[in-house]
Amino acid sequence: MSMLTIVITKRSKSFVNCINTEHALFLVAFFLGFFLRFVNLANAPLNNAEAELALAALHEVPLDNTFSYPLYILLTKGFFFVFGVSNFTARFWSAIFGSGFILIPVLYKKMLGRKPAIILSFCFALDPLLIAVSRQVDSRSLAVGLLFAAIGFIFLEKPTLAGIFTALSCMCGPSFWLGFFTLGVCVGVLYIIHKKRFPPEISFLSMKKSQLNKLSIVFLITIITIGSYCFLEFKALIYLSNSILQFLSGWIFQTAQNISSLLKLSILISYLPLGIILVIVGSTLFWKNKKKNSQFLFILLSVNFIVIMVYPGASVSDMVWISVPVWLISACVVGTMINKRALFSGDLIIPISIILVLLMYSWLGLLRVQSYWSMNIDFSRSIISVIGGLVLLGLIVVFCAWGWSVSQAFNGFIVGLFLFLLIFQLAMSFRTANIGKARQYEMITEADYFDGADLISITLKKLSQWNAGIEKSMDIAVANESAFPSLMWLIRDYKVTQYPNERVLKKSNADVLFTSLKIEPGFTQNYRGQSFVISSKPVWASTESEAVNLVEFMNWFFFRNGNLKKNNVILWAREELFLKASEISVD
C-alpha cells in the first residue's frame, strides 16, 4: 500500500469520526430537502411570473418590475452564460438557496437548543411553501435564506458575515422588504412590551456600537461591489429603489394578482395543517413558562400573519414569511416534548396505532363523502361511517383516560394525530415537488400553470421540420395582447417579431402567428389555427371570485380536481407548411 493511499485512508477515517449523530441528522435533512427541490425541476414550464424574470435575466430588458431583483438577474445571467439557457438553469439559484436554507437552524442552535434545531431543519426540508418558492424563478427563496442567515450571524456576533448577507438580501426584491418590515414591527412590539429595552434572553437584538459600525461598512462595500457588477455598471441603487417602491405601492394599489385573505387562509390551512396544530399546542405549552424566546416567536408569527393577510400586494408565495415562524414554534414544541419524554412510551404503541387507524378510516370516509357529493349521490351512509369512526376514537381516548391515565391518553391521542398529520404533510410536500399528476391544481405558485406548453413546443417542432427540415427555423409573429411572458420564453429560440396589435400582425408574412381568441373576420386566410391553453387555475381560487366556492374547494382539497379557469391563445400556421408535410409523408 502506497503512502498516498495510507494518508487518504487516515483522513477519510478522521472525517467520518468527526461526523456525529447531530451532523448526520442535519445532512439527512439537507439531502432530503435537496431532493425535493431539484427533482423534476425542469419539467414544469415557466409560468408568466417566472418567465418575466427569466427573460429579464436573459436579455436584460426591463419587463414591468423585474429589475427589482438585481441579485437574481446577476447570478442567473452568469449561469446562463456558462451552462446555457433552460428551465433548469433559470430555477437553479432558487433551488440551491432553498436547499441551503435547510441548514440555517445550525446558526440558531444556541438560541433554540440542539434538538429543536435538528427538528427545524427537517421542517424546512419538508415545508411545501418553502419547496414551492425554491422551485420557481423567484427571489423569495434567496430573500428568506439570506435574511435569516444575516440574523443568525448577528446572533453569533459575526458582523462581517452579517453585513454581507444583509446586503445580499436587500438585493432580492420587494419580498425582502415585506419580510424586513414584519421583522421590524415585531422587534418594535417586543421593545414596547418590555418597557423600551430588549430582554436578556434575546440580547442579540441590541448590538455593540463597534459591531454595528463594522456591519454597516461591510454592508455598504457589498452593496456597491455586487450592485455595480464588480464596478462595471452602477445599477444597485436603481434596483434597490425599484424594489422599495414596488413594496410601498403594494399598500396603495390593488394589483391584478391580488388575492383575498380568505383564499390565503384556505391555502395556509391546506398546506400547513401539522404546523398549525403544533402552534396551537405550543400556545398552551409556552403560556405557562412565558419564556422570552417563545414570546418573540409568537409575536413574529402574529405580525407576519396579520401583515400578509392585510397587505394587498402579497401573493401566495409571500406566505413563506408565515411558514418560517410556524415551523420555528413547531420545532420548539416537539423538542420540548422530546426533552420531557412525554410522548414516548412502549405502552402507548397499541393506543397510538388504534388512533392512527381510526383517523385514516375517517379520512377515507370523508373522501367517499366528497366523491358522492360531487356526483350528487346520496352520501348519508358514508357520513354515518365517518361519525362512527370519530365517536369510537373519542370513546377509546375517554376509556384510556378513565381506566389508565389522563396524561397517557392525551399523549397517545396527540402522537396519533401527529403521525396522521405528518403523513398528510409529506403528501403535500411531494405534490409541491412535482412528484405526481395534476400539477395545474397546486396553488402555492406565483402565477397560473402553463398547461399547453408541451403541445405548443411539439407543434412548433413538427412545423419547423416540415418547413426547413431542421428545428427552430421558422419566423414567428406575436401580437402584444398575446405576448404572454410564458409564451415568449417558450419560443425564445425562434426568430420572433412582436407587433403592437393584431391588425398590424395580419400584414405579417411570418410562418406562424399567435393571436387571442377574438380575431377579425378574414384573418384566417391562408392559415390554419389551433387553440392552446396558455394558463389554467382552479375556479375556486380565481381572483374574480367574491368568495371561496365550498364545493369546488372541497373537491380540490380531497382530490386535486375540479373546474379550471383557462386562458387560450391560437397558433396559426401557413397552409404551405401542411402541404410540405404531406409531401414528406408521401416520400
Side-chain angles (χ1 to χ4, degrees):
M1 185 179 292
S2 65
M3 184 63 68
L4 180 61
T5 306
I6 295 172
V7 171
I8 292 174
T9 304
K10 288 183 177 180
R11 288 186 177 180
S12 300
K13 289 181 178 179
S14 62
F15 175 74
V16 172
N17 291 334
C18 289
I19 299 178
N20 54 27
T21 304
E22 178 185 335
H23 297 153
L25 289 172
F26 276 119
L27 287 175
V28 170
F30 172 77
F31 285 114
L32 175 61
F34 185 88
F35 169 76
L36 291 174
R37 284 153 179 79
F38 276 91
V39 62
N40 299 328
L41 185 63
N43 286 7
L46 268 61
N47 58 39
N48 287 327
E50 291 182 288
E52 188 176 14
L53 191 53
L55 286 170
L58 179 60
H59 301 301
E60 202 161 332
V61 176
L63 298 171
D64 295 337
N65 294 309
T66 50
F67 265 30
S68 303
Y69 306 89
L71 183 60
Y72 170 83
I73 291 176
L74 175 62
L75 293 174
T76 306
K77 279 183 72 68
F79 212 63
F80 282 167
F81 179 78
V82 177
F83 297 101
V85 181
S86 66
N87 291 354
F88 179 83
T89 52
R91 290 176 172 140
F92 174 81
W93 288 111
S94 292
I96 203 70
F97 273 85
S99 301
F101 184 66
I102 298 167
L103 297 177
I104 291 295
V106 175
L107 304 177
Y108 295 87
K109 281 197 300 182
K110 185 178 179 181
M111 178 182 176
L112 299 174
R114 291 175 57 207
K115 291 177 182 177
I118 294 171
I119 295 167
L120 184 60
S121 284
F122 279 95
C123 291
F124 285 165
L126 296 171
D127 176 29
L129 289 168
L130 286 171
I131 293 172
V133 297
S134 300
R135 295 178 62 86
Q136 297 179 60
V137 180
D138 192 12
S139 272
R140 286 174 180 80
S141 177
L142 283 66
V144 173
L146 292 171
L147 179 59
F148 280 94
I151 297 170
F153 286 122
I154 292 174
F155 176 69
L156 296 176
E157 297 184 352
K158 296 184 181 295
T160 302
L161 291 173
I164 293 172
F165 279 86
T166 303
L168 293 176
S169 62
C170 286
M171 302 171 69
C172 292
S175 183
F176 161 78
W177 297 107
L178 178 60
F180 185 76
F181 172 77
T182 55
L183 183 64
V185 172
C186 174
V187 172
V189 169
L190 194 70
Y191 189 69
I192 294 172
I193 289 176
H194 292 280
K195 301 178 180 179
K196 297 184 179 181
R197 64 181 182 85
F198 292 118
E201 291 88 344
I202 48 177
S203 57
F204 68 93
L205 289 173
S206 53
M207 297 181 64
K208 298 177 182 176
K209 187 175 181 180
S210 60
Q211 292 178 335
L212 185 60
N213 291 337
K214 190 174 183 180
L215 187 152
S216 301
I217 293 170
V218 173
F219 173 84
L220 290 174
I221 292 173
T222 306
I223 280 284
I224 295 172
T225 304
I226 303 299
S228 63
Y229 291 3
C230 296
F231 306 105
L232 296 176
E233 294 184 64
F234 288 87
K235 298 180 178 180
L237 295 178
I238 299 175
Y239 290 154
L240 196 60
S241 61
N242 284 349
S243 64
I244 296 172
L245 291 174
Q246 190 178 345
F247 165 67
L248 294 176
S249 67
W251 290 101
I252 303 170
F253 304 108
Q254 293 286 333
T255 60
Q257 290 83 17
N258 183 47
I259 57 177
S260 67
S261 298
L262 182 59
L263 176 57
K264 294 175 189 175
L265 186 61
S266 302
I267 294 172
L268 191 66
I269 295 172
S270 302
Y271 284 98
L272 297 180
L274 177 59
I276 292 170
I277 294 298
L278 288 174
V279 166
I280 294 172
V281 173
S283 63
T284 59
L285 188 65
F286 297 134
W287 185 261
K288 299 177 182 178
N289 54 37
K290 296 183 179 180
K291 288 185 178 179
K292 299 299 184 293
N293 288 347
S294 305
Q295 188 183 59
F296 176 75
L297 293 179
F298 275 100
I299 292 174
L300 181 63
L301 174 60
S302 301
V303 171
N304 275 275
F305 179 81
I306 294 170
V307 171
I308 297 298
M309 289 298 159
V310 302
Y311 179 50
S315 67
V316 174
S317 298
D318 284 320
M319 289 199 295
V320 70
W321 295 109
I322 300 177
S323 72
V324 172
V326 164
W327 294 121
L328 277 165
I329 295 171
S330 300
C332 292
V333 170
V334 177
T336 300
M337 291 184 172
I338 291 175
N339 289 332
K340 291 181 177 180
R341 301 184 181 276
L343 298 180
F344 296 96
S345 173
D347 299 334
L348 289 176
I349 293 177
I350 294 177
I352 290 172
S353 301
I354 294 173
I355 290 170
L356 183 60
V357 169
L358 288 173
L359 286 171
M360 295 295 292
Y361 172 80
S362 300
W363 175 258
L364 293 174
L366 285 174
L367 291 177
R368 190 163 55 250
V369 169
Q370 175 58 29
S371 178
Y372 289 166
W373 187 14
S374 62
M375 294 185 292
N376 294 322
I377 300 175
D378 181 44
F379 50 82
S380 56
R381 291 185 179 181
S382 299
I383 289 181
I384 293 173
S385 66
V386 172
I387 295 174
L390 294 175
V391 169
L392 182 59
L393 187 151
L395 289 174
I396 290 174
V397 173
V398 169
F399 286 145
C400 285
W402 183 30
W404 187 10
S405 167
V406 174
S407 61
Q408 292 288 68
F410 176 76
N411 290 339
F413 173 74
I414 290 296
V415 174
L417 181 62
F418 172 82
L419 293 175
F420 172 75
L421 291 175
L422 179 61
I423 295 171
F424 185 87
Q425 195 71 64
L426 288 171
M428 294 298 101
S429 301
F430 279 87
R431 283 182 180 275
T432 310
N434 200 13
I435 300 174
K437 301 179 180 179
R439 291 173 294 183
Q440 65 270 36
Y441 288 98
E442 296 306 322
M443 287 303 306
I444 44 180
T445 55
E446 186 63 11
D448 301 352
Y449 185 77
F450 189 2
D451 222 355
D454 292 339
L455 290 175
I456 292 176
S457 295
I458 293 170
T459 302
L460 291 176
K461 179 180 178 181
K462 289 183 178 179
L463 289 172
S464 186
Q465 288 175 338
W466 294 342
N467 182 41
I470 56 175
E471 296 181 14
K472 301 174 182 177
S473 60
M474 296 183 302
D475 294 337
I476 299 177
V478 185
N480 278 348
E481 53 262 44
S482 304
F484 296 94
S486 55
L487 177 62
M488 301 305 288
W489 171 263
L490 187 69
I491 60 177
R492 64 189 180 277
D493 293 327
Y494 291 87
K495 184 181 178 181
V496 181
T497 306
Q498 195 167 331
Y499 291 88
N501 54 59
E502 292 179 355
R503 289 183 179 180
V504 181
L505 177 70
K506 185 178 178 181
K507 302 175 183 179
S508 170
N509 292 320
D511 300 310
V512 173
L513 311 176
F514 280 97
T515 69
S516 62
L517 293 179
K518 297 179 181 179
I519 56 172
E520 296 179 359
F523 188 90
T524 59
Q525 187 176 2
N526 301 325
Y527 283 91
R528 297 184 187 180
Q530 174 65 48
S531 174
F532 292 93
V533 178
I534 197 72
S535 65
S536 62
K537 191 176 195 176
V539 171
W540 71 268
S542 173
T543 54
E544 290 80 7
S545 301
E546 296 181 359
V548 174
N549 186 309
L550 182 59
V551 177
E552 291 281 353
F553 172 75
M554 296 301 289
N555 201 22
W556 170 85
F557 181 79
F558 286 106
F559 301 110
R560 288 302 191 272
N561 203 347
N563 297 319
L564 292 171
K565 179 189 174 184
K566 299 181 179 181
N567 292 319
N568 294 64
V569 293
I570 300 179
L571 185 156
W572 300 95
R574 282 191 171 278
E575 290 185 343
E576 291 89 338
L577 299 179
F578 297 96
L579 294 175
K580 292 180 181 180
S582 62
E583 292 173 2
I584 293 172
S585 62
V586 170
D587 294 340

